[in-house]
Amino acid sequence: MIRPDPKKDLSPKVASGNCEERLAKILSDCSDRLNTKGGFDRHLVVSQHPDLAPELEDMLDTLIECSPDDPDTEGRNVRVFSDYEIVCEIGRGGMGVVYEARQRSLERRVALKVLPPGFLGKPSAVERFLREAKAVGRLHHPHLVPVFDLGVEGGTPYLAMELVAGESLEQILVSRKGLDSPEGDVDLQYCLRVATAFVGAATAVEHANERGVIHRDLKPSNLILDEGGRLRVVDFGLAQLEGQDRLTGSGEFLGTPRYMSPEQAQGEAGIVDHRADVYGLGASLYEMLTLSPPHSGHDHRDLLTRIIHDLPVPLRRLQPRIPRDLETIVMKC
């Protein structure tokens, strides 16, 4: 972790300047709330960003209309997309909707990611989507999800990837936190299983970092435990390629707040490097072991402030059965 300069203003920055980046971040947060069934208050979101109100209202309407909870969603989705037949929606994020699809020419099941309709007129959204394809396409590792195909159909870019059967760590955490006494299950065997799984994900992230790709949004929902027991890293939608011009302006940040590094929380795009991915892996591993996130806050700004200024509670205070060496590794991350 990069130590903050004591002379600098370390208050969390409010995204400004680049409206498209701000819209993408707001929509990503709202999409996450839809995915967790929590929903969001459309009028409240718009009132918090009055300078973006007209465009934000339209894009939130599109997001709600395309929500998987909408009974009419299937009727509006494209059922045949280039060489692919859409089977069903399996997930969505701020920068794409993922479908299970059948590739007709090769008769195989794939995960097909496309931009939501509300983003197609946004140059930075399209560029970020294509950047993900470029980032993942140059990587080859058993703990990464490979890209099969990239194309544009009717002006909509798409990305075909391996369809991974399994559960995300976010889903596993929800299940474990729902147990009557989840803390009783965090024993040595559980710790060893979790740590062993993360070794594979860590080597995959190292593989990406060594090739100039920084994920920047590592979190439990982007780590999938497949049916073979491999922990796979997915969703390079916020990836940064070494040497390219950054799409994010000064004072802006990208990533999911709970798992972002202090450098990202400060909005210092120029100093975010591979260590942000080490932090994201460590934050995810922390929550898998303790069943609590490294930092919590009363609101968004309070959370960012705690990430910047405070160290997480040592793991063994929350779960005494965690091996001391494993605690040391996680706290170092």
Side-chain angles (χ1 to χ4, degrees):
M1 181 175 71
I2 301 172
R3 294 190 178 278
D5 182 344
K7 297 180 181 179
K8 292 183 65 176
D9 175 14
L10 298 182
S11 59
K13 305 296 192 299
V14 177
S16 61
N18 190 325
C19 294
E20 291 179 358
E21 292 289 352
R22 290 177 61 201
L23 283 167
K25 180 66 180 70
I26 296 165
L27 289 167
S28 178
D29 290 343
C30 291
S31 180
D32 282 346
R33 294 179 203 171
L34 281 176
N35 287 340
T36 57
K37 309 299 182 184
F40 60 88
D41 186 327
R42 176 184 177 279
H43 298 292
L44 177 61
V45 173
V46 173
S47 69
Q48 291 172 335
H49 307 277
D51 58 317
L52 302 176
E55 195 164 18
L56 184 57
E57 286 179 343
D58 291 340
M59 298 182 82
L60 286 177
D61 286 343
T62 299
L63 187 65
I64 294 169
E65 288 174 5
C66 293
S67 168
D69 288 331
D70 187 333
D72 294 329
T73 297
E74 286 196 13
R76 279 191 291 268
N77 284 344
V78 177
R79 308 312 299 168
V80 177
F81 198 89
S82 185
D83 188 30
Y84 304 92
E85 292 180 356
I86 304 296
V87 177
C88 62
E89 180 179 322
I90 56 177
R92 62 177 54 232
M95 293 307 302
V97 182
V98 182
Y99 301 98
E100 179 182 340
R102 186 178 74 88
Q103 187 175 6
R104 294 182 291 180
S105 60
L106 296 177
E107 296 187 351
R108 64 177 174 183
R109 299 279 178 169
V110 301
L112 188 70
K113 183 173 183 178
V114 302
L115 273 180
F119 284 100
L120 296 181
K122 305 297 171 189
S124 71
V126 175
E127 184 174 351
R128 191 180 303 112
F129 185 93
L130 295 175
R131 179 176 61 188
E132 173 184 4
K134 182 178 179 181
V136 182
R138 65 196 284 184
L139 306 175
H140 302 281
H141 192 280
H143 290 267
L144 294 175
V145 178
V147 171
F148 295 149
D149 185 24
L150 171 67
V152 179
E153 175 71 16
T156 300
Y158 65 86
L159 183 66
M161 303 168 286
E162 177 188 351
L163 181 63
V164 180
E167 283 188 300
S168 72
L169 294 190
E170 182 180 50
Q171 293 171 310
I172 293 172
L173 278 167
V174 169
S175 297
R176 292 189 62 81
K177 290 176 181 180
L179 298 175
D180 291 337
S181 300
E183 65 279 358
D185 292 328
V186 181
D187 55 15
L188 179 59
Q189 289 303 313
Y190 173 78
C191 292
L192 289 175
R193 288 198 305 272
V194 171
T196 300
F198 266 80
V199 169
T203 60
V205 172
E206 181 181 39
H207 172 85
N209 292 165
E210 287 177 344
R211 285 154 182 78
V213 179
I214 305 168
H215 191 290
R216 297 202 298 173
D217 196 26
L218 288 170
K219 55 186 178 181
S221 62
N222 285 338
L223 296 166
I224 296 180
L225 190 65
D226 69 20
E227 292 181 334
R230 286 184 298 173
L231 191 59
R232 313 281 291 275
V233 180
V234 301
D235 199 351
F236 278 75
L238 298 184
Q240 173 182 306
L241 300 183
E242 200 170 63
Q244 75 173 174
D245 293 334
R246 292 180 175 85
L247 296 182
T248 308
S250 174
E252 296 184 3
F253 58 84
L254 288 174
T256 304
R258 182 175 287 181
Y259 306 99
M260 67 170 49
S261 67
E263 295 75 48
Q264 290 171 288
Q266 291 174 44
E268 299 289 350
I271 62 173
V272 173
D273 58 22
H274 67 280
R275 287 169 288 188
D277 285 351
V278 176
Y279 186 97
L281 276 177
S284 300
L285 181 51
Y286 184 105
E287 187 165 4
M288 286 298 296
L289 292 169
T290 66
L291 307 181
S292 299
H295 295 285
S296 297
H298 301 300
D299 52 34
H300 184 79
R301 181 174 290 274
D302 182 42
L303 173 59
L304 295 181
T305 299
R306 291 176 188 238
I307 290 173
I308 294 169
H309 293 284
D310 301 339
L311 286 174
V313 175
L315 286 77
R316 286 166 56 84
R317 289 189 194 172
L318 301 174
Q319 296 289 353
R321 296 182 179 184
I322 294 174
R324 193 175 301 277
D325 288 348
L326 184 53
E327 177 188 57
T328 300
I329 291 170
V330 177
M331 295 301 288
K332 176 66 173 177
C333 291

